[in-house]
Amino acid sequence: MESAMDPYLARSYLDWLVELGADEAIGDNPVDRYGLAEKAKPAAPVAAVTVPAPVQAEEVDPVAVARAAAAGAEDLGALKAALGAFEHCELKRGARNLVFADGVAGAKVMIIGEAPGRDEDREGRPFVGRAGQLLDRMLAAIDLSRESSVYITNVLPWRPPQNRDPKPDEIAMMQPFLERHVQLADPDVLVIMGNISCQAALGKRGITRLRGNWAEAFGKPALPMFHPAYLLRQPAMKREAWADLLELKARLLA
């Protein structure tokens, strides 16, 4: 520890300060002026914190997702699984069951209906309500049946609420699955029942004008017909439906 300042040295320091012009003491205690100067310096600016912009979720194209999922299905079982895993159709959230198909896979005749109703949603099979019962009688009249010679599906695999018509975007996102369904089932002819089915398979509506006239859908000969549910409401149209059934029978026998 350093010894206390000797009084003679202190006097010499004081004389030196007087020579410099110091003639008055302004405080009882010494002040470190250099330390005060350091404290008076402005603080260094704080770097601004950059908040990253929120990352926007990438928009998903449901039709593109459906197309990829359908293309990856190598058989009907895989296609049904792909439909069950598809999460971009809101109809799925309100439906009880996925309604995929009924009848004989690989049959010459494939019927495409519109969408499941209450009974179909409950059982998980297409055309099982009153309209389905009428369809079975119509097929039996030309020696066809879902048990032996017909394969049946719908444009939509889930029931729309209150049996409303499917929306265009719902039809669009299900169309790749429907097209792949036809490819895998590989029928000789398609029977397209109702306006919704015509819109999905032919890209047009107007069943009264289209019915009974052969067209092409998904690379297959296709015959538009009245939907059995329409025939239940308009029984007078059963004559036209019978003519269409005879046209179908003639095509199968040709």
Side-chain angles (χ1 to χ4, degrees):
M1 183 174 180
E2 295 184 0
S3 60
M5 184 179 292
D6 139 274
Y8 297 101
L9 181 60
R11 178 59 184 267
S12 65
Y13 282 164
L14 183 59
D15 291 340
W16 178 68
L17 290 172
V18 171
E19 286 182 8
L20 291 176
D23 58 358
E24 182 179 3
I26 59 174
D28 294 332
N29 298 314
V31 178
D32 184 359
R33 302 293 176 182
Y34 295 103
L36 290 176
E38 286 295 324
K39 291 180 180 179
K41 287 183 180 180
V46 178
V49 178
T50 303
V51 179
V55 179
Q56 293 185 348
E58 184 178 354
E59 290 189 8
V60 176
D61 180 358
V63 177
V65 175
R67 190 177 296 116
E74 296 296 330
D75 54 37
L76 291 172
L79 184 65
K80 183 177 181 179
L83 263 172
F86 187 74
E87 298 294 340
H88 300 284
C89 184
E90 290 297 322
L91 295 178
K92 180 180 180 180
R93 310 189 197 292
R96 291 184 180 181
N97 286 301
L98 169 71
V99 180
F100 183 67
D102 195 18
V104 180
K108 290 184 177 182
V109 179
M110 181 174 182
I111 296 175
I112 300 176
E114 297 181 334
R118 180 188 60 189
D119 296 324
E120 289 77 13
D121 182 41
R122 183 172 58 244
E123 294 192 26
R125 294 189 300 126
F127 285 97
V128 295
R130 291 181 62 225
Q133 294 166 13
L134 176 56
L135 174 63
D136 289 341
R137 294 196 297 272
M138 293 167 62
L139 294 173
I142 57 171
D143 302 318
L144 296 176
S145 74
R146 68 175 80 199
E147 289 78 19
S148 63
S149 51
V150 172
Y151 186 62
I152 306 172
T153 190
N154 282 321
V155 173
L156 267 64
W158 297 291
R159 179 193 181 192
Q162 306 302 316
N163 290 346
R164 65 160 171 78
D165 283 348
K167 298 177 182 178
D169 64 315
E170 294 166 347
I171 296 173
M173 70 178 74
M174 291 296 103
Q175 191 173 28
F177 290 109
L178 178 62
E179 182 173 6
R180 185 63 176 153
H181 205 156
V182 172
Q183 291 172 350
L184 293 172
D186 195 25
D188 289 348
V189 297
L190 297 173
V191 175
I192 306 172
M193 291 188 153
N195 265 324
I196 301 301
S197 304
C198 287
Q199 180 178 341
L202 302 175
K204 60 183 73 174
R205 299 180 65 135
I207 189 62
T208 303
R209 173 175 46 85
L210 295 171
R211 56 140 294 270
N213 298 303
W214 286 97
E216 182 175 306
F218 307 126
K220 301 289 184 179
L223 181 65
M225 290 183 60
F226 288 129
H227 195 285
Y230 174 77
L231 296 175
L232 289 173
R233 299 191 302 269
Q234 301 289 339
M237 295 298 179
K238 289 182 179 179
R239 177 177 296 182
E240 284 79 358
W242 175 241
D244 296 342
L245 288 169
L246 293 178
E247 178 65 26
L248 174 62
K249 183 176 183 178
R251 181 70 177 242
L252 294 173
L253 294 175

